[in-house]
Amino acid sequence: MSGGRTVCYNETTPPYHRCLDQSIVYPTKPPTSGYYRKVWPAYGEYAYCPPQRWMHNLEHGAIVFLYHPCASASEVQLLREVANSCLRRHIITPYLDLERNESLAMVAWGCVHFMTWINITESVSWIREHALKTVERKVYDNGKYTHWLTRAAEVLNGSDIHDSHLCPDKLVSLLHRNDTTKDSHKDGKEVSMSKALWGLGSIVFIVLCTLIAVVLSRPKRSDPYRVRFSKLGTSDSHMSKAVPLSVTPPETVKLLKPDESDDPMDE
């Protein structure tokens, strides 16, 4: 089952440097080509990295992994694991201009892949197809921009600093294995939760049935003021007459006189 969609642009904006005194505006969100700052970011994960910086990394063939701050934490973690298992030249950063129903994205020069959730097989195929396809892909040096860098990227086991082997099979197999384990744990938790809810519902049902049975089995309390009638005569020719029995009057309530009030304000 597909977890996303790809959008590629036939016309890309030429990659030129622009200094800090010049503004940079992109026509698409997220951008996939255009102007950028001269100093590109070091590869890795950031608390936040602006597109004017990571755009330069795209020109060097990198893949930028984006997520909305409100995206599922488990999906963001899986996005992070895919990035760390596929290539050193990657940037991971939050990005606000993503739709809530497509809160994850992978960006290459000229293309972006929007995702609702992470499909590992699809993501790996997309990275292998779109990474390192630019003119300056041979520029593998790390950037010097490190503002808000939280974790530096490392050379992958099974590859090299040039990312000669994208998404090495050994790491991808481990990624699939970990994801399967997480799913089994998740399914186990869901089954346990369902059993717990079912047990709780059964207990509540039994308690309610017991309370209803107790209420229905209780004898009716006699009404001291109920008027009882007795029939006179047993012959069918006589009309039955009901004669009320005497009713015990309720106890007389003693009323306080105005001068017997116990209002503390009168003390």
Side-chain angles (χ1 to χ4, degrees):
M1 182 178 178
S2 176
R5 62 184 179 92
T6 296
V7 177
C8 291
Y9 301 94
N10 295 327
E11 297 182 4
T12 58
T13 306
Y16 294 125
H17 298 174
R18 276 200 171 176
C19 296
L20 291 174
D21 60 347
Q22 297 176 297
S23 63
I24 299 177
V25 179
Y26 298 109
T28 62
K29 295 181 179 180
T32 61
S33 65
Y35 299 106
Y36 49 71
R37 302 304 180 197
K38 183 177 181 179
V39 179
W40 65 91
Y43 293 111
E45 183 170 357
Y46 288 78
Y48 176 71
C49 184
Q52 294 87 343
R53 294 290 180 177
W54 54 253
M55 183 62 65
H56 200 155
N57 298 71
L58 292 184
E59 189 197 11
H60 296 169
I63 299 293
V64 175
F65 296 82
L66 305 176
Y67 63 91
H68 193 280
C70 295
S72 166
S74 60
E75 293 299 325
V76 173
Q77 178 59 29
L78 190 53
L79 179 76
R80 184 180 293 116
E81 292 175 4
V82 169
N84 293 326
S85 301
C86 278
L87 74 169
R88 179 186 68 90
R89 276 183 268 183
H90 71 262
I91 299 291
I92 305 173
T93 179
Y95 184 75
L96 284 174
D97 292 320
L98 289 173
E99 298 295 333
R100 291 296 182 91
N101 61 335
E102 291 179 329
S103 57
L104 309 163
M106 296 185 294
V107 186
W109 185 267
C111 293
V112 57
H113 185 67
F114 296 99
M115 297 172 289
T116 303
W117 53 276
I118 303 296
N119 182 312
I120 294 176
T121 302
E122 183 179 274
S123 300
V124 168
S125 298
W126 195 90
I127 292 169
R128 287 173 173 170
E129 180 181 354
H130 293 89
L132 309 180
K133 302 297 184 183
T134 58
V135 176
E136 293 194 11
R137 61 183 177 275
K138 294 184 179 180
V139 181
Y140 62 87
D141 297 336
N142 223 359
K144 295 183 179 180
Y145 179 89
T146 58
H147 189 52
W148 287 340
L149 176 68
T150 60
R151 184 200 55 80
E154 299 178 354
V155 177
L156 272 61
N157 183 18
S159 186
D160 51 34
I161 196 171
H162 302 280
D163 288 308
S164 302
H165 302 285
L166 293 171
C167 307
D169 293 336
K170 186 176 182 179
L171 294 180
V172 172
S173 298
L174 182 61
L175 187 62
H176 277 289
R177 193 178 306 119
N178 291 341
D179 189 50
T180 303
T181 303
K182 290 177 183 177
D183 288 341
S184 63
H185 289 170
K186 182 179 179 182
D187 293 339
K189 289 180 180 179
E190 290 178 352
V191 170
S192 300
M193 182 61 72
S194 299
K195 290 182 178 179
L197 291 176
W198 177 261
L200 180 61
S202 301
I203 293 174
V204 172
F205 178 75
I206 293 173
V207 171
L208 288 177
C209 290
T210 303
L211 289 175
I212 293 174
V214 170
V215 171
L216 294 178
S217 62
R218 290 179 62 184
K220 295 181 179 180
R221 289 189 293 179
S222 58
D223 187 351
Y225 306 118
R226 183 168 56 89
V227 179
R228 289 179 292 181
F229 296 87
S230 62
K231 289 185 177 181
L232 296 178
T234 58
S235 175
D236 293 339
S237 61
H238 296 282
M239 180 180 297
S240 298
K241 296 182 180 180
V243 179
L245 298 179
S246 60
V247 179
T248 304
E251 184 180 354
T252 305
V253 179
K254 181 181 179 181
L255 299 179
L256 295 176
K257 295 180 181 180
D259 56 350
E260 295 177 340
S261 173
D262 59 352
D263 188 343
M265 294 299 294
D266 292 339
E267 296 178 359

